[in-house]
Amino acid sequence: MKILVVDDEADVQPLFLQRFRKEIKNNEIEFSFALSGEDALHVLHNAHSEIVLILSDINMPGMSGLELLTHIREDFNAPPPPVVMMITAYGDEENHRQAMEKGANDFLTKPLDFILLKEKLKTFSE
Amino acid sequence: MTFFYYLAAFLLIRRLIKRLKYSILYPKWRSLLTTSNWVIIVLYFAVAFTVDDGVNELIASAILLTLLLYVDKEPDFKSQKAYVQANFPLVGVGFLNGLAILFASKFYDKYDTYFNLVTVAAFVWIFGKWATSNKQEEELRIVAERKAELEALVNERTAELVKQKENLQEIVEELKATQDQLIQSEKMASLGELTAGIAHEIQNPLNFVNNFSEVSMELIEEMTEELEKGDKDEAIAIAADIKQNLEKIRHHGQRADGIVKGMLQHSRASSTTKEPTDINKLADEYLRLSYHGLRAKDKSFNANLATHFGENLPMVNMVPQDVGRVLLNLFNNAFYAVQQKQKTAGPDFKPTVEVNTTTKGKNLEIKVKDNGTGIPDEIKEKIMQPFFTTKPTGEGTGLGLSLSYDIIVKGHQGKIDIATKEGEYTEFTISLPL
């Protein structure tokens, strides 16, 4: 399963790689990373059919996670549509509501709870 | 003819009494003057009808002379000097008459009409003097009164002016205190705007600290497992990851630490210590704070942050929290301008705030540019004035740019320039001497 993680904080990358160390080692999950919405669209353009799940932060300079979500649903929604999970700040009701409207599949709040994320990934991959 | 001498003496004393009547000298002289008046009258009757004409004239003249010399010498009667001296011709005439009667009686008899005429003339002379000195006295009195009035007026005005000056000084003191308070509250207000940005900025590094320490604990367990299994290479690889994670924890801890310190610096009352400062770091820090501050209030807001930081810029001496405040203010304004424009512009509008740092000649240049609403020409001149704001009441203090101007121009001998086009862009350029 290939997952695209979109976050403007570069240190998110080693964190994911370590948290999913075993899964990566067992070839269960493969990660791609993008540092911005624009970057993410670029990655999707090149390899969208492989990516089944996108995890995106909302709060990013430039193209926001919500805009990225809109683009994904418009341009990369060929079946099977990718699962999009948005990462929102704690208590950010407005973004939560907007992400729902724009077609997000699920939400995670910061700070990321990786145990919860792993459980969610299991349900989506089944 | 001796009547005139006594009359002159009598009138002189009367005049003295009259003039002294309302002065503090009156009690001192009253009885003496009144008595002498009576003495004159008594003398007249005692002498005039008992001795010969010649002797009579001499005695009367002597009495008048004595009186005149006495009064003339007395400083209390100084003001009457002119009048007193007008009596001397009469005294002279009296002596002449007396001597003529005694030693040239024939000559006198032949010309007695002239002698009498001269006597009367000398007497009239006194009254001429009397009238003019009366007039002069009246004029002097009026002048003195006017002078007194004017002096009173001047004193009154002086007192008023002194009071006004004191009032104004008090007001100036109050204004200074108020200004200090305003500056402090402006700082606090901008800190308030920052709170959300700061919370976001601190939350991110804290999340990393938590996440990396958690994952490191897991890694240590895994490492132990690998060691038990005997897979040394894998254990070493894990150890390298753990080391990297600990570095990350340290890095993010310091990041949070820097933000807290910056916040404390920002709220602290002005220090004026200049220190070598990395302008790129300062600008980046405040750009992020400002951006997240605004996003905290308006979650749907998003903007492109374009940073063009000059490489290898020298450290520049400045008061970092002051210049930070200026930058924060410019960034806040820039974000506000693009946010306002976004409300009316179409979906194609990409809000952008740009920061540029370079050296130009002997100056460090920091440009803050936005593609927001721009500044209309008619208010361009006013934006640096204290209390000028285009924001709705309660949203802006109108002190931001005016304080920025003070900090850059007065505090750092620098410049602030504005280039703007209404509806298109605004660019502030700060120049600081290297």
Side-chain angles (χ1 to χ4, degrees):
Chain A
M1 179 166 69
K2 197 161 184 181
I3 296 174
L4 173 63
V5 179
V6 190
D7 198 311
D8 59 316
E9 294 270 8
D11 277 349
V12 161
Q13 299 175 18
L15 192 64
F16 270 85
L17 294 177
Q18 289 177 18
R19 284 287 191 175
F20 291 91
R21 192 181 176 81
K22 278 183 188 162
E23 289 82 353
I24 294 167
K25 210 170 148 191
N26 301 336
N27 289 323
E28 288 166 22
I29 295 176
E30 193 185 335
F31 280 103
S32 306
F33 295 98
L35 286 169
S36 67
E38 290 87 347
D39 207 5
L41 287 180
H42 193 70
V43 173
L44 284 171
H45 211 80
N46 292 336
H48 81 272
S49 53
E50 299 164 29
I51 291 163
V52 292
L53 195 144
I54 299 159
L55 264 174
S56 176
D57 190 13
I58 289 184
N59 189 356
M60 291 182 293
M63 183 188 288
S64 74
L66 291 174
E67 282 173 81
L68 175 65
L69 175 60
T70 311
H71 279 291
I72 292 169
R73 289 295 177 238
E74 277 170 9
D75 303 332
F76 302 100
N77 225 19
V83 174
V84 182
M85 292 169 102
M86 303 303 292
I87 304 169
T88 62
Y90 176 76
D92 189 350
E93 295 302 326
E94 176 59 22
N95 272 331
H96 191 282
R97 190 187 58 76
Q98 282 199 30
M100 286 288 269
E101 267 178 25
K102 290 181 201 296
N105 297 83
D106 206 345
F107 295 91
L108 292 165
T109 51
K110 278 186 173 179
L112 280 180
D113 181 343
F114 282 89
I115 297 166
L116 185 70
L117 176 60
K118 281 183 188 179
E119 277 171 20
K120 287 188 186 224
L121 289 182
K122 261 182 210 161
T123 45
F124 280 112
S125 59
E126 273 162 12
Chain B
M1 290 309 291
T2 53
F3 172 72
F4 286 114
Y5 310 108
Y6 293 102
L7 183 58
F10 180 79
L11 290 175
L12 174 62
I13 291 166
R14 274 202 52 99
R15 186 181 163 102
L16 291 178
I17 292 172
K18 216 172 136 193
R19 286 292 177 269
L20 285 181
K21 201 147 197 167
Y22 299 106
S23 100
I24 48 159
L25 295 168
Y26 188 58
K28 182 178 159 192
W29 291 103
R30 191 183 58 170
S31 57
L32 183 62
L33 288 172
T34 323
T35 316
S36 10
N37 238 358
W38 284 110
V39 170
I40 298 288
I41 296 168
V42 171
L43 277 175
Y44 172 65
F45 287 107
V47 179
F49 302 106
T50 52
V51 295
D52 292 341
D53 275 356
V55 181
N56 200 356
E57 293 266 343
L58 288 177
I59 291 171
S61 302
I63 290 169
L64 183 56
L65 182 64
T66 316
L67 179 67
L68 291 179
L69 290 176
Y70 181 79
V71 172
D72 198 33
K73 219 175 65 198
E74 183 55 57
D76 286 357
F77 304 128
K78 215 174 151 192
S79 63
Q80 300 303 317
K81 223 171 178 116
Y83 177 75
V84 170
Q85 281 165 359
N87 284 271
F88 283 118
L90 185 62
V91 173
V93 170
F95 279 115
L96 273 180
N97 281 356
L99 292 174
I101 293 167
L102 285 179
F103 304 108
S105 56
K106 276 188 188 155
F107 177 80
Y108 180 84
D109 286 345
K110 193 174 171 190
Y111 296 105
D112 67 338
T113 325
Y114 294 104
F115 277 100
N116 287 340
L117 207 64
V118 171
T119 312
V120 172
F123 189 73
V124 169
W125 169 256
I126 295 170
F127 283 91
K129 266 287 172 194
W130 178 77
T132 47
S133 87
N134 259 4
K135 209 173 136 198
Q136 273 175 356
E137 262 184 13
E138 180 65 15
E139 276 166 9
L140 278 174
R141 197 183 54 78
I142 290 169
V143 168
E145 256 175 35
R146 293 282 303 159
K147 199 180 145 204
E149 263 172 41
L150 284 172
E151 256 168 29
L153 210 62
V154 166
N155 285 340
E156 204 178 295
R157 292 280 150 82
T158 311
E160 265 173 39
L161 285 173
V162 167
K163 208 176 154 202
Q164 277 180 357
K165 190 187 141 220
E166 279 166 4
N167 281 347
L168 284 174
Q169 270 172 341
E170 254 173 56
I171 291 169
V172 167
E173 293 297 315
E174 272 173 37
L175 280 174
K176 273 187 191 157
T178 313
Q179 194 190 21
D180 288 347
Q181 276 175 0
L182 275 171
I183 290 172
Q184 192 57 25
S185 58
E186 161 67 24
K187 277 189 206 166
M188 286 306 166
S190 62
L191 186 67
E193 280 175 22
L194 279 182
T195 317
I198 289 166
H200 178 272
E201 283 295 286
I202 294 179
Q203 189 62 54
N204 269 344
L206 279 182
N207 287 344
F208 279 118
V209 168
N210 289 335
N211 280 323
F212 277 115
S213 47
E214 264 177 50
V215 81
S216 296
M217 280 177 1
E218 280 177 22
L219 286 177
I220 287 173
E221 274 171 31
E222 278 180 41
M223 190 170 76
T224 321
E225 282 168 26
E226 298 296 339
L227 284 174
E228 279 165 1
K229 273 196 274 174
D231 192 344
K232 201 177 153 197
D233 288 346
E234 184 62 19
I236 290 171
I238 294 172
D241 277 353
I242 294 172
K243 191 184 169 210
Q244 195 195 37
N245 289 356
L246 292 177
E247 272 164 15
K248 298 248 178 250
I249 288 169
R250 206 173 111 89
H251 166 75
H252 287 287
Q254 279 172 343
R255 196 174 137 196
D257 187 61
I259 292 159
V260 171
K261 281 203 180 109
M263 186 173 74
L264 288 178
Q265 262 183 355
H266 184 85
S267 63
R268 200 177 299 152
S270 262
S271 100
T272 47
T273 347
K274 288 184 183 166
E275 49 189 271
T277 304
D278 179 350
I279 191 68
N280 289 348
K281 210 178 134 202
L282 193 72
D284 193 47
E285 187 182 323
Y286 278 99
L287 179 66
R288 296 171 70 93
L289 286 179
S290 174
Y291 179 63
H292 293 301
L294 183 65
R295 279 189 46 91
K297 276 190 277 185
D298 179 0
K299 293 255 162 55
S300 61
F301 177 75
N302 216 296
N304 279 318
L305 309 181
T307 51
H308 308 289
F309 291 135
E311 281 172 26
N312 306 320
L313 291 182
M315 301 283 263
V316 178
N317 253 335
M318 62 180 84
V319 185
Q321 60 265 48
D322 279 358
V323 176
R325 239 171 51 231
V326 174
L327 290 171
L328 179 70
N329 188 259
L330 296 183
F331 293 143
N332 283 347
N333 288 348
F335 285 121
Y336 184 80
V338 293
Q339 188 194 29
Q340 292 303 111
K341 190 169 165 184
Q342 201 176 31
K343 285 180 182 167
T344 51
D348 289 338
F349 173 63
K350 290 273 168 211
T352 306
V353 174
E354 214 178 303
V355 198
N356 227 304
T357 56
T358 47
T359 48
K360 194 175 177 187
K362 288 182 173 175
N363 287 311
L364 175 73
E365 266 195 6
I366 309 142
K367 287 181 196 281
V368 177
K369 188 177 179 181
D370 66 74
N371 62 348
T373 46
I375 302 167
D377 277 342
E378 60 267 27
I379 64 166
K380 207 175 135 186
E381 302 300 319
K382 293 187 201 157
I383 58 170
M384 295 286 180
Q385 290 173 7
F387 305 113
F388 181 82
T389 179
T390 57
K391 292 181 184 171
T393 316
E395 280 190 36
T397 58
L399 286 173
L401 279 177
S402 126
L403 284 177
S404 299
Y405 183 85
D406 280 0
I407 289 169
I408 297 301
V409 177
K410 293 185 191 158
H412 291 81
Q413 288 73 50
K415 275 197 317 180
I416 298 189
D417 292 311
I418 312 156
T420 180
K421 191 165 182 201
E422 195 178 352
E424 292 192 12
Y425 74 95
T426 302
E427 182 180 63
F428 280 88
T429 305
I430 301 172
S431 301
L432 293 173
L434 286 173

